Amino acid sequence: MTEAIGTGGSDAAPEHRYTAELAGQIEKRWQDYWHDHGTYNAPNPVGPLSLDDTAGASIPSDKLFVQDMFPYPSGSGLHVGHPLGYIGTDVYARYHRMIGRNVLHTLGYDAFGLPAEQYAVQTGTHPRLTTEANILNMRRQLRQLGLGHDERRSVETTDPEYYKWTQWIFLQIFNSYFDEKADKARPIAELEKEYAQDKRSTPDGRSWSALTPVEQREVIDSHRLVYISDAPVNWAPGLGTVVANEEVTADGRSDRGNFPVFRKNLSQWMMRITAYADRLVDDLELLDWPEKVKAMQRNWIGRSNGARVTFIAGEAGIEVFTTRPDTLFGATYMVLAPEHALVEKLTPEAWPEGTKDSWTGGAKTPAEAIAAYRAAAARKSDLDRQENKEKTGVFTGSFAVNPVNGTEIPIFVADYVLMGYGTGAIMAVPAQDQRDYDFATKFELDIVRTVDPGEGFEGEAFTGDGPAINSANDSISLDGLAIGEAKKTIIAWLEEHGHGEGTVQYKLRDWLFARQRYWGEPFPIVYDEDGLPIALPESQLPVELPDVDDYRPRTFDPDDADSMPSPPLSRATDWVDVTLDLGDGPKKYRRDTNVMPQWAGSCWYQLRYLDPTNTEVFVAPENEAYWVGPRPGEHGVDDPGGTDLYVGGVEHAVLHLLYARFWHKVLFDLGHVSSKEPYRKLFNQGYIQAYAYRDARGIHVPADEVVEKDGKFFHGDEVVTQEYGKMGKSLKNAVTPDEMADAYGADAFRFYEMSMGPLDVSRPWATKDVIGSQRFLQRLWRLVVDENTGDLRVSTVDATEADRKQLHKTIAGVREDYAEMRFNTAGAKLIELNNYVTKTYGAGEGTPRELAEALVLMLAPLAPHVAEELWKRLGHVDSLVHGPFPVVDEKYLVADTVEYPIQVNGKVRSRITVPADATSDAVQAAALADEKVAALVGDGTPRKVIVVPGRLINIVL
Ligand code: ANZ
């Protein structure tokens, strides 16, 4: 839609009107001033960024650390949706700076990643060049918004001085193991000592000294928190890289490039995040985070309490994981995942007696049926397999014995059971599980209820609570017990009889940590002639990413499942093969040629903000303790510490926020940080959304060229369709902050973004509405500056009593709004006060200084440039960035009238407003004079009239 972008000024505008042009000059000037004076630099307790203590200055104990989720420096720059959160945190940070707190706010760049690499592949430009150009552009865009960042603290994850410490943290994790008893990470050296003293038994029971050095290293390596494992991963030879589960389509191809994907065991770096599953769930309780995000983390980790139960099938024992051991008497068949290792063993030569036709998949032998079924299942993704579709499966030809009642139950292979969860095998209970119910109906299997669904239950599987039924044998009865009790009872019985045990199961998997790409952090790892990994010493960090000519991962014939990934770094042979002295003289080594995944740099960046130039440690303990250490006095005894406010999109609810919590906990365990958690408080900002338009071919047309006529939308003569959603270059509806700053000034743009609604709510963008914010700033400007002469129009007259009431009500409300992140209502209150002052003093003598100054100061967090300008013109030498912020005088908050509800025979019938100092008699008289009350009282006299001063009036008839 065409939206006129106005300047708010016309040719005839008075010379000193606050036009976009004037705003632009003011903004540029103050940005330079802030930059030159380091206005937003926050001092540290120790190190290079600390205060110069020869001046006798001391650091305030009251601090605030505000953090944004840092951006990827994309080539398309920012549109107006991106800075919504950055402006929000800036307003918040500015308010707290003005009330005297030491505020740390900065912004870095998460600059490794695919787009720069792909661009490099296409153009041959080094990703570093593209990345740096993009960062420069974003810095320029952000600077023009007047964000109050401590520029000294900005980091780029691609900077060797930064990723040196990412590699260092990797080594801390590599050099640790998880001590289950202590429930924490400990240095791997302590484990080695335990082995050496034979305090721990080796996997095959030999004594430690009987193991060869290589065997010893393999044992130790298997305990590390980051380890190499031969895990099944999705390998796309046509793409030349492994891809995540989420990147595989329903028909088993890569979503990028549409290449076949093969499940292949490849040796890959894994991070043992599963060791922290319990703490990652439990410590959510300590965090001030949106409930929704906590729930997403809980689901992702997927902790389930249940039991492992062993079913005997001939020679084999099949272990299943179930969350409902109480339903064991209703287990009428079993299912193995197609990939389960026991499938072959359980496949006899011929179909046994009792095999129903529907069980065989039309195959002559079990082996044939299984082979065909497996091949079909291999082409499906896990996601696809879990979808609620028609169930498929085949009978293995074998039966297992249900341990509680001795019944022989058939064993199936079906793809709704996944190999990667639990044991990859289930006992199926159709009466209580819908998936099993669907399967049982299709394959004509028994359905035995073991939970009483109650009278008149309609439905198939009953998943609710109820007393157990049909659940007894000679030695145990669950009948009559509710689910919880029944579970406990059966688990005790299983354990006693050796059929199983209670257990906890997690959905969380260890984190696949290697990528066969170029633009990422190299691993600080080399391999010796035994092919085992060796950590490089700290003194050899950073391991710098070498230059290469070709950034492409090596690709293969898309169908060549036997090919092996060959990362771009493997071609840098001069770099890969090195001679190093690692303490035992120069030797030949081979470097690891993977790079770390995109998430690595963002796992810890907030810690580097605290001490960005420290060359000795990644963060000095004093600085960490000051900015993010626990403060039980302020936040309660359980305070885990962490960033005081972290703002970003909800799309990071799991991956980034889980990985960062995991790394932080390892660092905590090893004593490198005093905080248990990285982010004490999290806030998800909403999104700025926009309309986009498509023509008849479905192609997007530029939104700013579309006009609306009679409810239809036209691009030229062509009718186009409107859709609502994201803003973006490809949707041709992006509006940039640059355009907005040019057309209205950055302050008007900031004020508009904050006025659009509560920060956590998504909102539609409307360029035409920005002018409303500009007009507000113009009106406020006019209260202080004469538009024609440029002179101050502020008077020395005292504000009246009425003015002060209005003012202090505003101060109280605005303070609370800023503190509670209600920036839209803070803005609304300022508009209201501004209207009041304009009405009272807009013409004539000028605005009482008291009012003008308070307005300017309160405006500063939202519109900092114009506020600084007016403050200066009001005669102040110092910037207002560090305050003062207006303080409430309580005496003006006392209301001068009181509203009384009037109850007649116990029911509120009316309300009256009387002067606050009215006597009881006067209140009573006023109540009886009220029209509605008079009508109810009629001709009679009330039996009783009670006045509760300041609260209510009660009339009994
Ligand atoms: C018997 C049963 C009876 C189950 C019942 C559920 C309800 P969550 O809660 O997600 O942990 N299951 C176990 N392993 C599986 C696998 N590899 N693939 C697919 N399903 C699997 O789910 C645990 C439940 O999901 C387990 O409890 C098992 O079915 C199934 F009334 O066992 B249940």
Side-chain angles (χ1 to χ4, degrees), residues 33-66:
Y33 174 93
W34 295 329
H35 173 78
D36 295 343
H37 290 78
T39 307
Y40 303 106
N41 291 356
N44 265 357
V46 300
L49 304 193
S50 62
L51 285 171
D52 175 10
D53 56 17
T54 50
S58 71
I59 188 163
S61 83
D62 193 10
K63 59 84 206 185
L64 182 79
F65 177 16
V66 180

mmCIF file of all heavy atoms in Angstrom, residues 33-66:
data_model
loop_
_atom_site.group_PDB
_atom_site.id
_atom_site.type_symbol
_atom_site.label_atom_id
_atom_site.label_comp_id
_atom_site.label_asym_id
_atom_site.label_seq_id
_atom_site.Cartn_x
_atom_site.Cartn_y
_atom_site.Cartn_z
ATOM 1 N N TYR A 33 28.701 13.039 19.818
ATOM 2 C CA TYR A 33 29.065 13.436 21.183
ATOM 3 C C TYR A 33 29.198 12.204 22.089
ATOM 4 O O TYR A 33 30.186 12.029 22.797
ATOM 5 C CB TYR A 33 27.993 14.388 21.736
ATOM 6 C CG TYR A 33 28.200 14.750 23.184
ATOM 7 C CD1 TYR A 33 28.905 15.903 23.555
ATOM 8 C CD2 TYR A 33 27.712 13.923 24.206
ATOM 9 C CE1 TYR A 33 29.100 16.225 24.892
ATOM 10 C CE2 TYR A 33 27.904 14.232 25.539
ATOM 11 C CZ TYR A 33 28.603 15.382 25.883
ATOM 12 O OH TYR A 33 28.807 15.688 27.205
ATOM 13 N N TRP A 34 28.197 11.337 22.032
ATOM 14 C CA TRP A 34 28.211 10.133 22.887
ATOM 15 C C TRP A 34 29.424 9.261 22.574
ATOM 16 O O TRP A 34 30.073 8.737 23.469
ATOM 17 C CB TRP A 34 26.926 9.311 22.680
ATOM 18 C CG TRP A 34 25.675 10.005 23.119
ATOM 19 C CD1 TRP A 34 25.532 10.909 24.139
ATOM 20 C CD2 TRP A 34 24.361 9.863 22.545
ATOM 21 N NE1 TRP A 34 24.225 11.321 24.240
ATOM 22 C CE2 TRP A 34 23.480 10.695 23.276
ATOM 23 C CE3 TRP A 34 23.824 9.114 21.495
ATOM 24 C CZ2 TRP A 34 22.117 10.792 22.990
ATOM 25 C CZ3 TRP A 34 22.483 9.201 21.216
ATOM 26 C CH2 TRP A 34 21.626 10.045 21.953
ATOM 27 N N HIS A 35 29.663 9.126 21.269
ATOM 28 C CA HIS A 35 30.806 8.309 20.850
ATOM 29 C C HIS A 35 32.114 8.911 21.361
ATOM 30 O O HIS A 35 32.944 8.224 21.960
ATOM 31 C CB HIS A 35 30.804 8.202 19.324
ATOM 32 C CG HIS A 35 32.020 7.536 18.763
ATOM 33 N ND1 HIS A 35 32.189 6.174 18.779
ATOM 34 C CD2 HIS A 35 33.139 8.064 18.189
ATOM 35 C CE1 HIS A 35 33.357 5.876 18.236
ATOM 36 N NE2 HIS A 35 33.953 7.001 17.878
ATOM 37 N N ASP A 36 32.279 10.225 21.146
ATOM 38 C CA ASP A 36 33.531 10.875 21.537
ATOM 39 C C ASP A 36 33.733 10.867 23.052
ATOM 40 O O ASP A 36 34.860 10.830 23.536
ATOM 41 C CB ASP A 36 33.556 12.333 21.046
ATOM 42 C CG ASP A 36 33.573 12.397 19.522
ATOM 43 O OD1 ASP A 36 33.885 11.356 18.895
ATOM 44 O OD2 ASP A 36 33.237 13.474 18.968
ATOM 45 N N HIS A 37 32.644 10.951 23.793
ATOM 46 C CA HIS A 37 32.761 11.009 25.250
ATOM 47 C C HIS A 37 32.637 9.651 25.924
ATOM 48 O O HIS A 37 32.708 9.573 27.152
ATOM 49 C CB HIS A 37 31.698 11.952 25.825
ATOM 50 C CG HIS A 37 31.970 13.388 25.499
ATOM 51 N ND1 HIS A 37 31.703 13.931 24.257
ATOM 52 C CD2 HIS A 37 32.499 14.392 26.245
ATOM 53 C CE1 HIS A 37 32.052 15.199 24.248
ATOM 54 N NE2 HIS A 37 32.546 15.509 25.437
ATOM 55 N N GLY A 38 32.441 8.613 25.139
ATOM 56 C CA GLY A 38 32.263 7.275 25.749
ATOM 57 C C GLY A 38 31.138 7.289 26.775
ATOM 58 O O GLY A 38 31.244 6.676 27.839
ATOM 59 N N THR A 39 30.078 8.011 26.431
ATOM 60 C CA THR A 39 28.991 8.227 27.395
ATOM 61 C C THR A 39 28.410 6.933 27.952
ATOM 62 O O THR A 39 27.979 6.884 29.091
ATOM 63 C CB THR A 39 27.875 9.057 26.708
ATOM 64 O OG1 THR A 39 28.477 10.230 26.156
ATOM 65 C CG2 THR A 39 26.784 9.446 27.683
ATOM 66 N N TYR A 40 28.406 5.883 27.126
ATOM 67 C CA TYR A 40 27.752 4.646 27.569
ATOM 68 C C TYR A 40 28.734 3.617 28.099
ATOM 69 O O TYR A 40 28.369 2.465 28.324
ATOM 70 C CB TYR A 40 26.921 4.065 26.413
ATOM 71 C CG TYR A 40 25.911 5.068 25.933
ATOM 72 C CD1 TYR A 40 26.079 5.746 24.721
ATOM 73 C CD2 TYR A 40 24.824 5.386 26.725
ATOM 74 C CE1 TYR A 40 25.175 6.707 24.314
ATOM 75 C CE2 TYR A 40 23.904 6.348 26.329
ATOM 76 C CZ TYR A 40 24.086 7.003 25.122
ATOM 77 O OH TYR A 40 23.187 7.956 24.738
ATOM 78 N N ASN A 41 29.972 4.019 28.267
ATOM 79 C CA ASN A 41 30.958 3.082 28.796
ATOM 80 C C ASN A 41 30.646 2.768 30.258
ATOM 81 O O ASN A 41 30.521 3.674 31.074
ATOM 82 C CB ASN A 41 32.361 3.678 28.683
ATOM 83 C CG ASN A 41 32.807 3.769 27.233
ATOM 84 O OD1 ASN A 41 32.086 3.319 26.328
ATOM 85 N ND2 ASN A 41 33.971 4.357 27.002
ATOM 86 N N ALA A 42 30.530 1.494 30.547
ATOM 87 C CA ALA A 42 30.227 1.071 31.915
ATOM 88 C C ALA A 42 31.507 0.550 32.544
ATOM 89 O O ALA A 42 32.159 -0.326 31.975
ATOM 90 C CB ALA A 42 29.163 -0.014 31.913
ATOM 91 N N PRO A 43 31.898 1.088 33.681
ATOM 92 C CA PRO A 43 33.163 0.636 34.284
ATOM 93 C C PRO A 43 33.072 -0.757 34.884
ATOM 94 O O PRO A 43 32.014 -1.188 35.325
ATOM 95 C CB PRO A 43 33.405 1.676 35.381
ATOM 96 C CG PRO A 43 32.056 2.201 35.713
ATOM 97 C CD PRO A 43 31.247 2.150 34.455
ATOM 98 N N ASN A 44 34.216 -1.443 34.886
ATOM 99 C CA ASN A 44 34.356 -2.767 35.499
ATOM 100 C C ASN A 44 35.033 -2.646 36.856
ATOM 101 O O ASN A 44 35.797 -1.705 37.077
ATOM 102 C CB ASN A 44 35.267 -3.635 34.619
ATOM 103 C CG ASN A 44 34.478 -4.503 33.662
ATOM 104 O OD1 ASN A 44 33.244 -4.504 33.688
ATOM 105 N ND2 ASN A 44 35.188 -5.228 32.820
ATOM 106 N N PRO A 45 34.840 -3.620 37.726
ATOM 107 C CA PRO A 45 35.587 -3.612 38.991
ATOM 108 C C PRO A 45 37.095 -3.717 38.788
ATOM 109 O O PRO A 45 37.845 -3.028 39.458
ATOM 110 C CB PRO A 45 35.071 -4.851 39.722
ATOM 111 C CG PRO A 45 33.732 -5.116 39.137
ATOM 112 C CD PRO A 45 33.802 -4.668 37.707
ATOM 113 N N VAL A 46 37.535 -4.587 37.858
ATOM 114 C CA VAL A 46 38.988 -4.750 37.674
ATOM 115 C C VAL A 46 39.329 -4.828 36.192
ATOM 116 O O VAL A 46 38.468 -5.059 35.357
ATOM 117 C CB VAL A 46 39.520 -6.046 38.345
ATOM 118 C CG1 VAL A 46 39.249 -6.055 39.834
ATOM 119 C CG2 VAL A 46 38.923 -7.294 37.683
ATOM 120 N N GLY A 47 40.606 -4.654 35.897
ATOM 121 C CA GLY A 47 41.095 -4.849 34.542
ATOM 122 C C GLY A 47 41.051 -3.593 33.709
ATOM 123 O O GLY A 47 40.808 -2.500 34.216
ATOM 124 N N PRO A 48 41.288 -3.759 32.411
ATOM 125 C CA PRO A 48 41.457 -2.614 31.527
ATOM 126 C C PRO A 48 40.233 -1.691 31.477
ATOM 127 O O PRO A 48 40.374 -0.505 31.225
ATOM 128 C CB PRO A 48 41.694 -3.238 30.147
ATOM 129 C CG PRO A 48 41.869 -4.692 30.351
ATOM 130 C CD PRO A 48 41.446 -5.041 31.730
ATOM 131 N N LEU A 49 39.051 -2.199 31.711
ATOM 132 C CA LEU A 49 37.877 -1.338 31.621
ATOM 133 C C LEU A 49 37.443 -0.794 32.981
ATOM 134 O O LEU A 49 36.349 -0.276 33.136
ATOM 135 C CB LEU A 49 36.690 -2.088 30.981
ATOM 136 C CG LEU A 49 36.898 -2.705 29.600
ATOM 137 C CD1 LEU A 49 35.567 -3.128 28.992
ATOM 138 C CD2 LEU A 49 37.600 -1.744 28.652
ATOM 139 N N SER A 50 38.315 -0.924 33.977
ATOM 140 C CA SER A 50 37.903 -0.441 35.301
ATOM 141 C C SER A 50 38.114 1.062 35.403
ATOM 142 O O SER A 50 38.775 1.678 34.566
ATOM 143 C CB SER A 50 38.682 -1.166 36.393
ATOM 144 O OG SER A 50 40.044 -0.884 36.261
ATOM 145 N N LEU A 51 37.541 1.639 36.443
ATOM 146 C CA LEU A 51 37.690 3.073 36.667
ATOM 147 C C LEU A 51 39.135 3.381 37.019
ATOM 148 O O LEU A 51 39.827 2.551 37.594
ATOM 149 C CB LEU A 51 36.810 3.502 37.845
ATOM 150 C CG LEU A 51 35.322 3.602 37.576
ATOM 151 C CD1 LEU A 51 34.590 3.811 38.892
ATOM 152 C CD2 LEU A 51 35.035 4.748 36.612
ATOM 153 N N ASP A 52 39.523 4.577 36.698
ATOM 154 C CA ASP A 52 40.852 5.025 37.076
ATOM 155 C C ASP A 52 40.802 5.351 38.574
ATOM 156 O O ASP A 52 40.278 6.388 38.970
ATOM 157 C CB ASP A 52 41.170 6.275 36.240
ATOM 158 C CG ASP A 52 42.494 6.871 36.660
ATOM 159 O OD1 ASP A 52 43.210 6.218 37.438
ATOM 160 O OD2 ASP A 52 42.771 7.992 36.211
ATOM 161 N N ASP A 53 41.339 4.416 39.413
ATOM 162 C CA ASP A 53 41.095 4.640 40.844
ATOM 163 C C ASP A 53 42.023 5.662 41.480
ATOM 164 O O ASP A 53 41.845 6.024 42.624
ATOM 165 C CB ASP A 53 41.015 3.327 41.644
ATOM 166 C CG ASP A 53 42.261 2.487 41.467
ATOM 167 O OD1 ASP A 53 43.264 3.053 41.017
ATOM 168 O OD2 ASP A 53 42.198 1.281 41.773
ATOM 169 N N THR A 54 42.973 6.163 40.666
ATOM 170 C CA THR A 54 43.761 7.267 41.214
ATOM 171 C C THR A 54 42.860 8.476 41.426
ATOM 172 O O THR A 54 43.116 9.341 42.247
ATOM 173 C CB THR A 54 44.899 7.688 40.264
ATOM 174 O OG1 THR A 54 44.330 7.884 38.968
ATOM 175 C CG2 THR A 54 45.988 6.644 40.204
ATOM 176 N N ALA A 55 41.735 8.515 40.665
ATOM 177 C CA ALA A 55 40.806 9.629 40.810
ATOM 178 C C ALA A 55 39.896 9.425 42.014
ATOM 179 O O ALA A 55 39.041 10.251 42.298
ATOM 180 C CB ALA A 55 39.964 9.775 39.543
ATOM 181 N N GLY A 56 40.084 8.295 42.696
ATOM 182 C CA GLY A 56 39.316 8.047 43.909
ATOM 183 C C GLY A 56 37.881 7.637 43.643
ATOM 184 O O GLY A 56 37.065 7.586 44.554
ATOM 185 N N ALA A 57 37.560 7.368 42.365
ATOM 186 C CA ALA A 57 36.184 6.980 42.056
ATOM 187 C C ALA A 57 35.963 5.535 42.449
ATOM 188 O O ALA A 57 36.872 4.721 42.402
ATOM 189 C CB ALA A 57 35.934 7.149 40.570
ATOM 190 N N SER A 58 34.766 5.209 42.865
ATOM 191 C CA SER A 58 34.490 3.801 43.149
ATOM 192 C C SER A 58 33.262 3.368 42.373
ATOM 193 O O SER A 58 32.403 4.175 42.026
ATOM 194 C CB SER A 58 34.301 3.581 44.645
ATOM 195 O OG SER A 58 33.081 4.159 45.033
ATOM 196 N N ILE A 59 33.218 2.079 42.103
ATOM 197 C CA ILE A 59 32.186 1.557 41.231
ATOM 198 C C ILE A 59 30.896 1.341 42.038
ATOM 199 O O ILE A 59 30.948 0.817 43.145
ATOM 200 C CB ILE A 59 32.694 0.262 40.569
ATOM 201 C CG1 ILE A 59 31.733 -0.221 39.511
ATOM 202 C CG2 ILE A 59 32.987 -0.837 41.560
ATOM 203 C CD1 ILE A 59 32.365 -1.227 38.577
ATOM 204 N N PRO A 60 29.754 1.788 41.515
ATOM 205 C CA PRO A 60 28.522 1.606 42.287
ATOM 206 C C PRO A 60 28.177 0.120 42.399
ATOM 207 O O PRO A 60 28.420 -0.639 41.465
ATOM 208 C CB PRO A 60 27.459 2.321 41.449
ATOM 209 C CG PRO A 60 28.069 2.649 40.144
ATOM 210 C CD PRO A 60 29.545 2.402 40.208
ATOM 211 N N SER A 61 27.663 -0.275 43.549
ATOM 212 C CA SER A 61 27.324 -1.702 43.666
ATOM 213 C C SER A 61 26.033 -1.987 42.910
ATOM 214 O O SER A 61 25.751 -3.110 42.539
ATOM 215 C CB SER A 61 27.192 -2.099 45.131
ATOM 216 O OG SER A 61 25.906 -1.755 45.589
ATOM 217 N N ASP A 62 25.255 -0.926 42.658
ATOM 218 C CA ASP A 62 23.995 -1.113 41.951
ATOM 219 C C ASP A 62 24.258 -1.140 40.454
ATOM 220 O O ASP A 62 24.666 -0.151 39.858
ATOM 221 C CB ASP A 62 23.053 0.042 42.306
ATOM 222 C CG ASP A 62 21.635 -0.245 41.859
ATOM 223 O OD1 ASP A 62 21.355 -1.392 41.452
ATOM 224 O OD2 ASP A 62 20.813 0.686 41.913
ATOM 225 N N LYS A 63 24.055 -2.294 39.861
ATOM 226 C CA LYS A 63 24.365 -2.457 38.429
ATOM 227 C C LYS A 63 23.207 -3.117 37.706
ATOM 228 O O LYS A 63 22.325 -3.715 38.332
ATOM 229 C CB LYS A 63 25.638 -3.286 38.265
ATOM 230 C CG LYS A 63 25.562 -4.689 38.892
ATOM 231 C CD LYS A 63 24.921 -5.718 38.035
ATOM 232 C CE LYS A 63 24.297 -6.842 38.829
ATOM 233 N NZ LYS A 63 23.762 -7.920 38.028
ATOM 234 N N LEU A 64 23.248 -3.029 36.386
ATOM 235 C CA LEU A 64 22.245 -3.710 35.576
ATOM 236 C C LEU A 64 22.913 -4.158 34.286
ATOM 237 O O LEU A 64 23.598 -3.369 33.635
ATOM 238 C CB LEU A 64 21.094 -2.753 35.248
ATOM 239 C CG LEU A 64 19.951 -3.370 34.431
ATOM 240 C CD1 LEU A 64 19.029 -4.191 35.330
ATOM 241 C CD2 LEU A 64 19.140 -2.282 33.716
ATOM 242 N N PHE A 65 22.717 -5.420 33.928
ATOM 243 C CA PHE A 65 23.281 -5.948 32.679
ATOM 244 C C PHE A 65 22.110 -6.330 31.777
ATOM 245 O O PHE A 65 21.358 -7.252 32.074
ATOM 246 C CB PHE A 65 24.178 -7.151 32.987
ATOM 247 C CG PHE A 65 24.775 -7.832 31.776
ATOM 248 C CD1 PHE A 65 24.813 -7.223 30.516
ATOM 249 C CD2 PHE A 65 25.330 -9.099 31.904
ATOM 250 C CE1 PHE A 65 25.374 -7.861 29.413
ATOM 251 C CE2 PHE A 65 25.900 -9.750 30.806
ATOM 252 C CZ PHE A 65 25.911 -9.131 29.562
ATOM 253 N N VAL A 66 21.973 -5.565 30.713
ATOM 254 C CA VAL A 66 20.878 -5.774 29.767
ATOM 255 C C VAL A 66 21.462 -6.338 28.475
ATOM 256 O O VAL A 66 22.456 -5.811 27.971
ATOM 257 C CB VAL A 66 20.181 -4.439 29.458
ATOM 258 C CG1 VAL A 66 19.051 -4.652 28.478
ATOM 259 C CG2 VAL A 66 19.654 -3.815 30.728
#
